Amino acid sequence: MMFGSINSSGAIIDGIEKGEANDILLPNQSGRVQKVAVDIGGSLAKVVYLTSGPHSEGGRLHFTAFETDNVEKCATFIRSLLRTSETRGMEIHGADGVSDTDDAASDNAPVVVATGGGAHRFRDLLQRELGAEIRIEDEMESLTAGLNFLMREVADEVFTYSEDRPMQFVTTAAGDMFPYMLVNIGSGVSIIKVTGEGAYERISGTSLGGGTLWGLLHLLTGVQSFDAMLEMTKTGDNTKVDMMVGDIYGSNYDKIGLKATNIAATMAGVYRKSLGKQYSDADIARSLLYMVSNNIGQIAYLNAQLHGIRRIYFGGYFIRGHPLTMHTLSYAINFWSKGEMSALFLRHEGFLGATGAFFVDEQKQQRDAATVVSSSAASSPVSGSLLPEDLPREAAIRLASPASEGPAAAVSPDLPALRLPQRRHSSRKNRSADPASSSHSQTPQPSQLQPHLQGLPRPRNDDSGTRTRTRTRTRTGSESRRSKAYSFTENFSITETIADDSISSLGMLDRQPAKLLALPQLVNTAADPYQPDTVDLSKNPEQQEYWITAMERNTRGLLDLADNGALANVDEAMRRKMTSFVTLYSSHLCKLRERPLAYGPMSVRALLGLREQCLHEVGLEDIFAQVKSRETDAALIALPRMLEQTDRISNIAERLQVLVHNVLAGNMFDWGATDLRDGLADGSLDFEKARQKITWQPQFDNTSEFVEAVVGDNSSSSGGSESGSDTGRPRYRKAVVFVDNSGADVCLGVLPFARFLVSTIGSKVVLAPNSRPALNDVTERELNDIVSRAARADDVIARAVSGKQLVVCGTGSGGPCLDLRKLDERLVRHCRNADLVVIVGMGRAIHSNYRARFTCDSLKLAVFKNKMAADAAHASIYDGLSLYVPGGN
């Protein structure tokens, strides 16, 4: 989604352990924005700022906070950001390397966007201290805009909480977001009803909020810090000062649903039990926390009932990820609603206002620019574009963090035995298609890993050398200014916590240079929600330990590969980076051992993604680049002979079966699979040996059903190598193939299979590789080169490419697993009329998408390359998975 000149699609969370909130990564934002937003409340001033730098793709949102009593310290911090920005990255470089200082000058003027009551109170101070333009945004508008942004753009942002079920993450479909109620708990409490984008109303509130708790506890205990006050509540026993239901009735009052442990009257136990007794500060703190939280929860529920709203979000810096606070609010909502409603919390709860102000200002600046452009266009005697056009996405293929599979290339130990679908007996003529932490001494310092955190350096060029700053154009007088789309991805390579006792760590949000959308054929409804991860590891301590240990072993294995020369040209600088990566990633694994939910739901996909983020953070963009190049060269030499062999198979059905099995043989060439790594490193594993290693079990292989669906009654026809357009032959109009590894995998497995679909069946084929590197996974740029080279060696491929029947388009991701809700919008456009989805590789078809369903036919192809994965599915290692599922089944 676009927020002014900022593209927020695919936002994700990252962070740094400073006792502050995690940063948000906006991976699809490529233009540099020199802007800081601050939400100044009665107690705290929350700051959000955007940087651009070499480790963060298009940009990175950061979060920090100061006590309002120290607002001068906050102003000093913002001033340092703006001054650093002026000295670093003031130039925006064009495609030719020449800076565009003239046309970018207005964009470089420092801007501070302020919201909250303190924005008015301290406006003069900010103006004086910062010497920057101060823009004031409405507090309620900013709060709701911030929550809308986080819900729509940031993965695993919303969760429920209780002591027995901590952090159950919630995903809400875009069409089901509204209405909702936001209970913003700051010094006081505001309750806002939101019925749509920009449609909100403050319907209630209370003066008993975070400031009440802070003030009372300070008066009663003398404690100064809010965090220290919350820390006291952990050891307190409120029953020593409160009057409980059991104190009155001696037991539960079942008739009206009250337990003996329910609070009957806050602090009433003091006069009932002993007026002269000295009470513990911790007991008092816990009692008052319950008093404030229960009161807020009850008022929130009553307002929700009054307005017919079922979703209640709690935000504000009062919560701070504090378990007891969230449990109390959850208990109140659950109690008063009789279990029909749940309290909803957010990772970035304290930064709704600052985040919203940041993007609301962007939207307003875009509207103002659109008005100017529109007026200019209307008055201009010359038609056409007045401003430069957006650069085509196809011209900007970028490399980012590598992602990988390790022993991780295995399915969860919980994976159920595969059940093949029942065969569908229907005509295919009417087929339809629809889309952590250990001590700081163990972790490389941020100054070593992430220099862009110190300021706002210049935007980074993409790999084609093409500038990716925001462009606009005008076609008519009424057309709005266009901005380059982007998305956000969550990045935990460096993490922060919103408070010392917060149950979760917050991440940064990196901007990616493309809008991320769902595959049109993906089944993802309220009744049948899509979950990319096969298993939530956070629910099983044994699984957690296995996978964390496996990641540690695999990480050390990367160092061994470098030391043994398997990774070419490993110099001293690269070894230092490798060591920094091992230290950084290992520290996160230690943290996840202690707090499995610290970064959201733990899954194999999440652990692999975190590994790639850490590789990227230390500057290891593509450690297998030369390995991939060497293996691709060898595979392309073998390709003509492979094509000749398969073309000689006259029976179409037999030929297709061989080609499908060859895809799995190629998938054995996976440097992320520890059990295969030695054979790949010493060259002892060749394609024929790989094919012979694979075993086929009926419970995992229904290739024959796929073959019959494709070739129908024409299996005995030779088909040759020309387009099979016989009117009686069942055929797919378009297939999208999500590919995996470089080298033999894509060259000798996927490419001949795609060639068959194009030439023999008459299908159009879209090959969908990673947009960014991940171990030896092939990237969009690499696959374009492979297809081009293959076309020079094979006329059939050449005709398919020239006729645009075989195209390559990146997925928008850079990991070994795949979230089909977050694909590059270019690929989604290619997939709109696809009637076959093929997913290749263990990361994409077993770790993730094992249970994914589609409205069209699908084929999942992988090999169990890890014994743990095989055992989980009641398979054997190297069993092949060839799962054909008719659409909608």
Side-chain angles (χ1 to χ4, degrees):
M1 183 175 182
M2 290 300 302
F3 291 88
S5 65
I6 296 178
N7 176 354
S8 61
S9 314
I12 57 172
I13 302 175
D14 192 3
I16 301 175
E17 297 168 15
K18 295 179 180 175
E20 299 156 356
N22 285 20
D23 300 342
I24 294 182
L25 306 179
L26 292 77
N28 290 334
Q29 169 68 16
S30 54
R32 174 177 172 274
V33 180
Q34 186 180 352
K35 181 174 297 182
V36 179
V38 57
D39 175 12
I40 309 177
S43 305
L44 294 163
K46 288 77 68 177
V47 179
V48 173
Y49 60 100
L50 180 76
T51 64
S52 296
H55 299 295
S56 57
E57 303 275 327
R60 178 169 284 176
L61 278 182
H62 306 265
F63 302 82
T64 191
F66 302 84
E67 292 186 3
T68 301
D69 287 346
N70 295 323
V71 70
E72 291 85 359
K73 182 178 178 181
C74 176
T76 300
F77 174 77
I78 296 173
R79 184 171 66 244
S80 70
L81 290 178
L82 299 179
R83 286 182 175 174
T84 304
S85 172
E86 292 171 358
T87 59
R88 300 178 63 191
M90 285 295 291
E91 295 181 350
I92 298 179
H93 289 275
D96 55 0
V98 180
S99 64
D100 299 326
T101 51
D102 293 338
D103 65 348
S106 61
D107 293 335
N108 288 326
V111 172
V112 175
V113 184
T115 190
H120 303 277
R121 177 183 172 190
F122 297 108
R123 181 171 188 167
D124 291 343
L125 181 149
L126 293 174
Q127 187 79 55
R128 181 177 64 254
E129 293 293 322
L130 303 179
E133 178 185 357
I134 308 297
R135 299 175 186 162
I136 305 294
E137 296 295 347
D138 177 76
E139 182 177 5
M140 299 300 152
E141 181 180 12
S142 297
L143 285 170
T144 58
L147 179 52
N148 291 344
F149 162 79
L150 291 168
M151 284 195 295
R152 179 177 283 115
E153 301 294 340
V154 181
D156 301 323
E157 175 69 24
V158 180
F159 61 94
T160 61
Y161 184 88
S162 64
E163 287 181 345
D164 57 335
R165 299 190 70 199
M167 297 194 78
Q168 303 296 304
F169 292 90
V170 177
T171 300
T172 302
D176 198 33
M177 280 178 53
F178 307 105
Y180 67 80
M181 196 170 77
L182 169 61
V183 182
N184 191 61
I185 312 173
S187 300
V189 180
S190 287
I191 299 179
I192 307 167
K193 179 175 73 173
V194 183
T195 55
E197 292 289 350
Y200 59 89
E201 174 188 4
R202 186 183 189 276
I203 56 176
S204 186
T206 174
S207 61
L208 302 180
T212 306
L213 178 64
W214 197 335
L216 287 174
L217 282 177
H218 174 66
L219 291 174
L220 292 172
T221 69
V223 175
Q224 302 283 333
S225 162
F226 192 57
D227 283 329
M229 294 175 186
L230 292 179
E231 184 65 26
M232 280 197 308
T233 65
K234 292 181 179 179
T235 58
D237 181 358
N238 68 297
T239 64
K240 294 180 179 179
V241 295
D242 290 342
M243 181 183 291
M244 316 304 288
V245 168
D247 294 332
I248 301 173
Y249 294 97
S251 62
N252 297 339
Y253 190 173
D254 294 327
K255 187 174 181 179
I256 59 175
L258 293 177
K259 297 179 180 179
T261 54
N262 289 148
I263 299 171
T266 299
M267 293 286 183
V270 173
Y271 77 82
R272 178 73 177 267
K273 297 171 183 176
S274 175
L275 287 174
K277 181 180 177 181
Q278 292 296 315
Y279 292 94
S280 160
D281 287 348
D283 297 341
I284 294 171
R286 196 175 185 102
S287 173
L288 290 180
L289 176 64
Y290 281 157
M291 179 190 75
V292 172
S293 300
N294 280 326
N295 180 69
I296 294 170
Q298 184 175 15
I299 293 173
Y301 170 74
L302 292 174
N303 275 280
Q305 285 293 96
L306 182 63
H307 292 270
I309 295 174
R310 298 194 58 79
R311 278 191 294 274
I312 306 175
Y313 294 91
F314 289 88
Y317 214 73
F318 167 75
I319 301 172
R320 303 162 75 88
H322 186 241
L324 191 57
T325 305
M326 293 189 295
H327 174 75
T328 307
L329 291 168
S330 293
Y331 183 87
I333 297 300
N334 183 72
F335 177 84
W336 292 109
S337 69
K338 295 181 170 58
E340 293 184 0
M341 298 171 64
S342 298
L344 300 171
F345 302 99
L346 303 111
R347 288 180 173 274
H348 291 83
E349 67 218 355
F351 295 89
L352 300 184
T355 302
F358 192 98
F359 290 110
V360 166
D361 181 77
E362 284 294 314
Q363 290 173 312
K364 290 182 178 179
Q365 299 310 308
Q366 182 181 10
R367 287 197 295 268
D368 291 346
T371 300
V372 172
V373 171
S374 178
S375 300
S376 300
S379 60
S380 174
V382 181
S383 62
S385 174
L386 299 177
L387 297 174
E389 250 183 77
D390 283 348
L391 293 174
R393 177 75 182 96
E394 288 79 356
I397 302 171
R398 307 170 46 124
L399 292 178
S401 64
S404 56
E405 303 178 298
V411 71
S412 146
D414 239 4
L415 187 63
L418 178 66
R419 296 183 182 275
L420 296 180
Q422 293 299 310
R423 195 167 173 182
R424 185 181 64 180
H425 300 282
S426 62
S427 169
R428 304 208 52 254
K429 292 183 179 179
N430 297 321
R431 181 185 306 276
S432 61
D434 295 310
S437 129
S438 55
S439 66
H440 288 289
S441 63
Q442 292 179 298
T443 306
Q445 296 301 309
S447 60
Q448 297 172 315
L449 300 179
Q450 205 174 22
H452 68 282
L453 289 177
Q454 312 303 323
L456 305 175
R458 64 187 58 168
R460 189 179 173 197
N461 286 348
D462 62 20
D463 288 315
S464 63
T466 307
R467 179 179 54 192
T468 54
R469 52 178 282 226
T470 300
R471 299 280 193 171
T472 58
R473 71 175 176 184
T474 301
R475 289 181 178 174
T476 67
S478 61
E479 184 176 7
S480 297
R481 177 184 177 184
R482 284 183 25 172
S483 299
K484 189 172 182 63
Y486 63 78
S487 295
F488 294 87
T489 56
E490 186 173 16
N491 189 323
F492 286 101
S493 58
I494 298 184
T495 57
E496 296 176 350
T497 52
I498 196 169
D500 292 339
D501 63 346
S502 176
I503 62 173
S504 66
S505 295
L506 304 179
M508 296 174 286
L509 289 187
D510 281 343
R511 294 181 301 190
Q512 303 291 347
K515 188 175 181 181
L516 301 181
L517 303 172
L519 181 72
Q521 294 79 9
L522 180 67
V523 174
N524 185 22
T525 64
D528 190 5
Y530 166 73
Q531 171 52 257
D533 299 313
T534 301
V535 170
D536 183 354
L537 300 179
S538 55
K539 296 178 180 178
N540 189 311
E542 183 180 350
Q543 293 178 23
Q544 294 169 21
E545 182 57 30
Y546 169 79
W547 286 109
I548 290 174
T549 301
M551 293 298 172
E552 290 173 335
R553 185 171 61 250
N554 183 269
T555 299
R556 291 192 296 269
L558 290 179
L559 279 179
D560 292 340
L561 285 176
D563 292 338
N564 296 335
L567 305 179
N569 295 336
V570 178
D571 56 16
E572 191 57 37
M574 183 174 179
R575 277 196 173 83
R576 285 196 299 269
K577 290 181 180 179
M578 292 285 289
T579 302
S580 296
F581 155 69
V582 172
T583 303
L584 178 62
Y585 187 50
S586 297
S587 71
H588 287 296
L589 295 176
C590 288
K591 183 173 186 176
L592 289 171
R593 267 201 176 94
E594 298 171 1
R595 291 191 291 154
L597 295 171
Y599 304 159
M602 187 191 293
S603 65
V604 177
R605 179 174 64 97
L607 292 174
L608 288 170
L610 177 60
R611 181 175 63 186
E612 301 316 314
Q613 291 169 356
C614 291
L615 281 166
H616 188 205
E617 198 66 31
V618 302
L620 293 171
E621 300 287 335
D622 191 0
I623 60 175
F624 280 87
Q626 295 192 51
V627 173
K628 290 189 291 183
S629 177
R630 183 174 64 245
E631 292 187 347
T632 295
D633 289 345
L636 285 173
I637 291 173
L639 177 62
R641 184 161 180 240
M642 172 74 72
L643 296 178
E644 181 183 355
Q645 289 175 345
T646 53
D647 282 349
R648 282 203 300 262
I649 303 173
S650 60
N651 184 287
I652 296 179
E654 183 182 344
R655 188 192 315 166
L656 179 55
Q657 180 121 356
V658 169
L659 290 168
V660 169
H661 287 187
N662 281 354
V663 172
L664 273 71
N667 197 239
M668 294 282 282
F669 289 79
D670 180 2
W671 283 84
T674 305
D675 291 336
L676 294 172
R677 193 175 277 170
D678 289 344
L680 293 171
D682 62 22
S684 61
L685 181 68
D686 60 30
F687 196 83
E688 186 57 35
K689 288 181 181 178
R691 183 159 45 195
Q692 293 172 2
K693 266 184 174 287
I694 300 172
T695 52
W696 299 95
Q697 306 297 337
Q699 65 267 37
F700 301 115
D701 175 26
N702 65 344
T703 307
S704 60
E705 293 186 29
F706 172 68
V707 170
E708 182 175 342
V710 173
V711 303
D713 297 329
N714 294 275
S715 60
S716 61
S717 303
S718 67
S721 57
E722 301 299 326
S723 175
S725 57
D726 299 356
T727 57
R729 177 184 300 165
R731 57 188 289 175
Y732 290 104
R733 294 188 300 275
K734 182 188 287 187
V736 55
V737 182
F738 293 94
V739 304
D740 191 4
N741 303 306
S742 189
D745 189 344
V746 70
C747 296
L748 304 182
V750 172
L751 200 52
F753 172 74
R755 175 182 180 266
F756 174 90
L757 293 179
V758 171
S759 64
T760 306
I761 306 304
S763 307
K764 179 173 182 178
V765 176
V766 180
L767 300 178
N770 273 0
S771 296
R772 303 179 300 279
L775 278 187
N776 67 316
D777 289 6
V778 68
T779 66
E780 179 179 11
R781 184 177 65 176
E782 292 164 347
L783 188 51
N784 270 312
D785 179 66
I786 289 170
V787 171
S788 176
R789 293 168 65 186
R792 292 196 291 271
D794 180 72
D795 291 341
V796 177
I797 296 176
R799 286 194 296 271
V801 172
S802 63
K804 297 184 179 179
Q805 289 300 107
L806 180 63
V807 298
V808 175
C809 186
T811 60
S813 64
C817 298
L818 189 63
D819 186 343
L820 293 170
R821 299 166 301 185
K822 298 179 179 296
L823 301 177
D824 191 309
E825 61 180 333
R826 296 177 305 129
L827 178 59
V828 170
R829 286 196 297 269
H830 278 299
C831 292
R832 281 176 186 159
N833 59 342
D835 47 9
L836 175 64
V837 173
V838 182
I839 305 177
V840 179
M842 186 152 61
R844 292 164 181 80
I846 295 179
H847 291 326
S848 58
N849 301 304
Y850 188 80
R851 299 189 183 95
R853 297 202 308 110
F854 306 92
T855 57
C856 68
D857 288 6
S858 63
L859 181 65
K860 297 173 185 175
L861 302 173
V863 180
F864 291 100
K865 292 170 281 192
N866 176 280
K867 191 175 186 306
M868 185 70 167
D871 290 345
H874 306 287
S876 299
I877 192 167
Y878 304 132
D879 273 353
L881 173 69
S882 179
L883 173 61
Y884 164 69
V885 182
N889 192 331

